Amino acid sequence: MAEVETLPAPEERGRTVIADRVVERIASAAAGEVESTVDSRGGFGRLVRGRLPSAEAVVAGRTSRISVEVGAVWPASLSQLTARVRDHVGERVHTLTGVEVTAVDVTVADVVHSTAPSRRVL
Amino acid sequence: MTSRRTLFVDRVATLLLSLLLLAGGAAAAYWWSGRSPFGDRLDLAVVRDAVEAAWFPWVAALVGIVLALLGLRWILAHLGRPTVSRLHLSGSGSGGRLDVNAGQVAGAAADALADTIGVRSARGTVVRDRGQLVARLTATIEPDADLGVVARQADLVSAQLREVLDRDDVRCSVELRVAARSRGLVRAH
C-alpha cells in the first residue's frame, strides 16, 4: 500500500492572484442584476462609450476598490438604486473571489425615460 | 449666469458710477448757474503741475495696469460656465461615493415633460444659479396647447425629479416657450 503523502500547507502550495479584470467583470454583472438598472446605450453610443453597467477595479492583495457606472430608468430613486448597487456589487465580489471590497463608487451615467414598450417581433 | 458675489459687485459699481455722474452733473449745473465761488474761470494750475511732475507718468501707468487687470477679472467673472456636471447622492460615505451625471438626469426629466400632449420638445440642464442648484427645463409648446395640462405635467415632473435625486437643495425651474407656428396634423384622405 502506497504511503499517503501529506500535502504542504495551503500557503506553501502556491499563490492565487485575482486579476483586476476578473473583479471588473463580476462587478459589471452584479450591477446589472440590480432592479431598475438598464443598458441604455445602443448603436453609436455603445460603440464609443461602451456598455452599461461598466466597472473598473483595482485589486491590491486581498483588498479592492471598485468604480461602477450604471444606467437607470426614470423615475427610480437614484440614491436608493446606487446604494443597492454598491451593496450588491460588494457582496458578490467578496463571495465569488474572497477579495475584500473596501469601497464601491457608483455613478449613474445615464438616465432614460422610456414609456414605449420595446418592439416585439411576432 | 454669474455668482451672487459678481452680481453684488455689478450693483455696487453701477450705484457708484450713477452717483458720480449725478454729482458731476449737479456740480456742472451749479457752476453754469453763476453762483459758484470759483467764478467764470476755473484755475487748473494745480492739475497742470501734477501732470507735468516727474512721477505722474509712472503712477498713471501703474493705475492703468491695475484698472485693466480689474476689468479683465470682472469680465471673466461673467464668463464662468454655470453648468453642473455631477451631483452627489445621499448615502455617499466611506463605503463609496454615489453620484449621478446631472445632465443625464435633467435630460430624462425633459423627456418626461416632452411626453405630454401639446409639448413639442424639451431639454434640461442643471446649473448653479447664485449659489443655488437649479434643474432648468426648457420646453417648446404648441400655440394651441392646453396650458393647464402642461402646467400639471410640469408640476409632476418637478416632484418626480425631487424624488429621483432625493436632494432638498435642488430646485426645478420650468420655462415654457410657445412655438411660432402650429405644426398641423397630417390628415389622411
Side-chain angles (χ1 to χ4, degrees):
Chain A
M1 194 172 148
E3 270 185 40
V4 178
E5 284 186 28
T6 52
L7 288 170
E11 59 271 19
E12 292 170 8
R13 284 184 234 155
R15 290 172 61 229
T16 304
V17 179
I18 306 289
D20 294 358
R21 187 79 190 121
V22 173
V23 174
E24 287 171 359
R25 292 294 289 270
I26 294 171
S28 298
E33 289 167 4
V34 176
E35 194 186 348
S36 298
T37 60
V38 286
D39 183 4
S40 54
R41 290 177 185 160
F44 189 68
R46 177 176 295 185
L47 194 70
V48 175
R49 300 168 66 196
R51 300 176 68 117
L52 285 177
S54 65
E56 286 181 14
V58 179
V59 182
R62 306 299 296 170
T63 57
S64 69
R65 186 180 180 100
I66 305 170
S67 299
V68 185
E69 285 195 348
V70 295
V73 182
W74 174 273
S77 168
L78 297 182
S79 54
Q80 290 176 18
L81 171 72
T82 48
R84 282 203 303 272
V85 170
R86 179 189 58 194
D87 297 344
H88 190 61
V89 166
E91 189 267 324
R92 293 299 288 161
V93 169
H94 181 64
T95 304
L96 293 175
T97 64
V99 172
E100 187 190 343
V101 180
T102 56
V104 181
D105 296 332
V106 184
T107 300
V108 180
D110 205 356
V111 183
V112 288
H113 169 264
S114 172
T115 51
S118 56
R119 285 184 192 172
R120 287 197 303 163
V121 179
L122 296 174
Chain B
M1 202 56 59
T2 49
S3 69
R4 189 176 284 272
R5 184 163 152 251
T6 309
L7 285 174
F8 176 74
V9 172
D10 286 356
R11 286 169 186 162
V12 169
T14 309
L15 180 70
L16 288 177
L17 187 65
S18 57
L19 285 177
L20 191 70
L21 287 173
L22 277 174
Y30 182 60
W31 184 58
W32 176 74
S33 69
R35 285 178 288 179
S36 163
F38 299 117
D40 291 339
R41 295 174 66 85
L42 286 177
D43 183 12
L44 299 176
V46 179
V47 178
R48 195 172 57 238
D49 290 347
V51 169
E52 288 172 356
W55 51 264
F56 184 80
W58 298 102
V59 172
L62 195 66
V63 170
I65 289 170
V66 169
L67 285 177
L69 289 175
L70 282 176
L72 278 175
R73 174 75 183 81
W74 198 10
I75 290 170
L76 287 176
H78 290 81
L79 294 179
R81 275 175 62 84
T83 310
V84 177
S85 58
R86 271 171 189 252
L87 285 174
H88 291 297
L89 298 166
S90 58
S92 297
S94 58
R97 192 186 63 242
L98 310 178
D99 53 22
V100 59
N101 183 324
Q104 289 289 339
V105 75
D111 287 345
L113 184 59
D115 202 21
T116 311
I117 195 100
V119 178
R120 187 178 292 183
S121 64
R123 56 195 164 81
T125 179
V126 178
V127 296
R128 191 171 284 282
D129 185 357
R130 283 165 273 178
Q132 178 75 55
L133 281 169
V134 179
R136 186 170 294 155
L137 306 181
T138 308
T140 304
I141 63 172
E142 303 290 351
D144 55 355
D146 185 339
L147 284 177
V149 171
V150 176
R152 274 198 298 279
Q153 184 68 9
D155 286 343
L156 179 69
V157 170
S158 303
Q160 282 179 332
L161 187 64
R162 205 170 301 122
E163 285 172 18
V164 165
L165 288 175
D166 195 19
R167 283 181 59 145
D168 296 331
D169 57 338
V170 179
R171 300 281 183 268
C172 188
S173 153
V174 181
E175 183 182 331
L176 300 178
R177 293 177 182 169
V178 182
R181 266 177 291 181
S182 178
R183 192 162 54 184
L185 294 172
V186 178
R187 192 177 295 273
H189 293 286

